[in-house]
Amino acid sequence: KQFIPPPGYLLLQLDYSQAELRVMAAQAGEKTMIKWFKEGKDIHIMSALKKYHVEDQYDRIKTILDKEDDNDPEFKIWKVRRKQAKTINFGIIYGISDYGLSKQLGVPRAEAARYIESYFTRYVGVKAYMEAEIAKAKKLGYVETLFGRRRYLPDINHSNYNLRSFAERTAINTPIQGTAADIIKVAMLKVAKALQDAKVKSRVLLQVHDELVLEVTNEEKDKVAKIVEQEMENAVKLQVPLVAEVATGKNWALAK
């Protein structure tokens, strides 16, 4: 709430939607996830539906979740299932262990292990990608982002299990999270040039993870939002579309 624009300005926020999951799907060539992203589906809902073998129920369950009716028993069930799917989807990016997942979900470790095993059964491309990245790191001593930025991993072949395991998780995560970080930086450069070319008063204020926050005048907000959205969504071409979600507010909290 303490981030407020000058008089006559608003804060404009554009946030990449599930950037790291999109990068993972593209890097892994995971056909199922790529298809969902191209169709504009909510990846967490689809993951939950796929787990329970009811993918054809997407539109109905999405409508139920959007209504947020706490009196609807199906809403309560699928809200929990979507949250579990989201935790697993993001946890996989960080090479989460069954122990870590059990803590996050509040389930027994054996159950968490089954969740992870089931995930890799459903998304074989992700499993193959992760194994390939670890093998590459063991051979070369580093991994790279899509843009060629390297992360060296001196402990990838270490005899100590904990050190080696951390390096392996980093080998999985860096090409995904690092590529997402590279994309937002490319987007910032393109946005800066586009705003300069448009000769607007509005300006970029903050970059936080996969989010840009701008100070925009009331008159320019719609024009600038379109410019920034276009530049962010076209910062790089992946197998899946990049999507930037737009919001405005009189302070950063209201924009979020």
Side-chain angles (χ1 to χ4, degrees):
K1 291 179 182 178
Q2 301 208 45
F3 286 85
I4 57 174
Y9 282 75
L10 292 169
L11 289 186
L12 170 70
Q13 174 200 319
L14 288 98
D15 192 355
Y16 275 128
S17 171
Q18 301 169 346
E20 292 176 3
L21 287 176
R22 292 173 189 271
V23 169
M24 181 178 75
Q27 295 275 72
E30 176 49 58
K31 294 179 180 178
T32 301
M33 288 186 177
I34 290 171
K35 179 176 179 288
W36 291 343
F37 278 128
K38 285 182 174 179
E39 292 173 351
K41 298 284 181 64
D42 181 312
I43 196 81
H44 305 310
I45 294 176
M46 287 303 298
S47 291
L49 293 172
K50 189 171 180 65
K51 178 182 177 182
Y52 292 97
H53 311 290
V54 287
E55 294 166 72
D56 60 336
Q57 296 291 307
Y58 177 82
D59 290 337
R60 189 178 70 84
I61 299 302
K62 178 75 164 56
T63 300
I64 290 171
L65 289 171
D66 286 345
K67 287 181 179 178
E68 297 185 354
D69 181 3
D70 285 319
N71 294 317
D72 184 344
E74 273 200 296
F75 169 73
K76 292 181 179 179
I77 291 170
W78 285 102
K79 182 180 179 181
V80 170
R81 289 177 175 177
R82 183 188 182 277
K83 184 178 180 181
Q84 287 183 334
K86 182 177 181 179
T87 301
I88 296 168
N89 281 337
F90 282 110
I92 292 296
I93 292 174
Y94 297 98
I96 199 166
S97 65
D98 52 7
Y99 175 78
L101 185 61
S102 71
K103 289 294 183 185
Q104 287 195 30
L105 293 180
V107 300
R109 188 169 179 176
E111 187 175 346
R114 288 196 296 273
Y115 284 166
I116 294 173
E117 183 181 355
S118 176
Y119 182 96
F120 286 135
T121 300
R122 293 195 301 273
Y123 309 115
V124 292
V126 174
K127 178 69 170 175
Y129 162 76
M130 291 180 170
E131 290 174 345
E133 286 299 323
I134 291 173
K136 187 191 302 180
K138 288 181 179 293
K139 180 180 179 181
L140 301 176
Y142 64 82
V143 289
E144 292 180 311
T145 70
L146 183 64
F147 294 83
R149 188 160 56 87
R150 291 183 183 180
R151 173 77 176 267
Y152 285 89
L153 301 166
D155 293 331
I156 193 66
N157 292 304
H158 204 286
S159 58
N160 181 287
Y161 173 79
N162 289 332
L163 292 175
R164 186 175 69 254
S165 294
F166 180 78
E168 288 177 355
R169 290 195 297 275
T170 306
I172 292 168
N173 173 246
T174 294
I176 298 169
Q177 191 177 36
T179 295
D182 290 346
I183 289 172
I184 191 71
K185 291 175 177 64
V186 171
M188 287 171 67
L189 293 172
K190 294 193 172 192
V191 166
K193 185 177 186 308
L195 294 180
Q196 186 178 42
D197 292 345
K199 295 181 170 57
V200 294
K201 296 178 182 177
S202 304
R203 54 191 176 261
V204 177
L205 177 68
L206 294 169
Q207 177 262 322
V208 184
H209 301 300
D210 52 8
E211 171 184 345
L212 291 184
V213 181
L214 297 89
E215 290 179 340
V216 298
T217 66
N218 290 312
E219 299 77 22
E220 293 176 350
K221 66 176 183 179
D222 293 336
K223 176 182 178 180
V224 170
K226 287 181 181 178
I227 291 172
V228 179
E229 183 180 21
Q230 182 176 356
E231 296 302 331
M232 287 181 67
E233 292 185 347
N234 292 282
V236 60
K237 294 296 182 186
L238 300 174
Q239 291 187 68
V240 298
L242 290 172
V243 175
E245 298 176 336
V246 183
T248 57
K250 292 182 178 179
N251 63 46
W252 196 10
L254 290 172
K256 292 191 77 64

